[in-house]
Amino acid sequence: MDTILAVCAGIALAAATGFRVFVPLLVASVSAHFGYISPSSSMAWIGSTPAMVILIAATVVEIAAYYIPWVDNLLDTIASPAAVVAGTLVAAAAFGDIDPAFRWALAIIAGGGAAALIQGTTVVARGASTAGTGGIANPIFSTGEAIGAISLAILAILLPIIALVVAIAVCVLIVRFLLRIRSRKPQGTA
């Protein structure tokens, strides 16, 4: 049962990196430091004090930078691949001491995939906000993304099964939204 809970927590933490890259890593670091999760021996560094300090600084900078219009769009170009890497990493760390081949395969596929899906959608939403409002509404999106990252990451530690259900529901809603947009046919003139 511990392995199942660890896998649920890892995938939910990975999904949260799609909203903000460093928030779930920080939550995992603090959780590992205080014994709420047990990372594998090769990932034990995540719970160290230096890792926590670095992740606190990175989280503060990331959240603050997303409140600067146009800088937030620039950050999305960096955050997109970073979210996939961070999602894979945080999932692998949360999975604990399971078979390394299974750990990394699941971390790459489920963790990186969930992070990529959510990050991709936030990029599209921010781009639409920037185009439609000149970036004025972007801080609203940034606030929602930060709240989503913090909430999902903390939920992943406290109630991992529920967090995984929430992460899956978010991913399903995103896929449905993207399919709906894709199915719209351009209106031609007659």
Side-chain angles (χ1 to χ4, degrees):
M1 186 64 173
D2 287 341
T3 301
I4 292 170
L5 292 175
V7 168
C8 291
I11 295 170
L13 283 167
T17 65
F19 292 116
R20 285 290 172 269
V21 172
F22 292 109
V23 168
L25 288 168
L26 175 60
V27 170
S29 180
V30 170
S31 299
H33 186 79
F34 290 107
Y36 290 104
I37 63 171
S38 301
S40 66
S41 56
S42 64
M43 302 294 286
W45 60 268
I46 200 164
S48 69
T49 301
M52 280 194 312
V53 170
I54 291 167
L55 290 169
I56 288 169
T59 300
V60 169
V61 169
E62 179 186 31
I63 289 175
Y66 268 99
Y67 283 99
I68 303 169
W70 301 99
V71 171
D72 55 355
N73 290 302
L74 177 63
L75 285 175
D76 278 341
T77 62
I78 298 166
S80 294
V84 175
V85 171
T88 301
L89 184 68
V90 76
F95 292 166
D97 280 318
I98 60 175
D99 177 71
F102 180 71
R103 177 181 348 131
W104 286 106
L106 187 60
I108 291 167
I109 295 167
L117 182 62
I118 292 174
Q119 174 63 24
T121 305
T122 63
V123 169
V124 170
R126 186 178 327 286
S129 170
T130 300
T133 68
I136 294 172
N138 288 15
I140 295 168
F141 285 104
S142 293
T143 300
E145 291 167 352
I147 290 169
I150 293 165
S151 301
L152 187 55
I154 291 171
L155 191 61
I157 301 304
L158 299 177
L159 300 167
I161 294 173
I162 293 172
L164 180 61
V165 170
V166 169
I168 290 169
V170 168
C171 289
V172 166
L173 289 173
I174 289 169
V175 168
R176 292 179 78 192
F177 173 74
L178 293 174
L179 290 174
R180 185 177 308 138
I181 288 173
R182 188 173 182 203
S183 69
R184 290 183 187 165
K185 296 184 189 236
Q187 299 292 329
T189 56

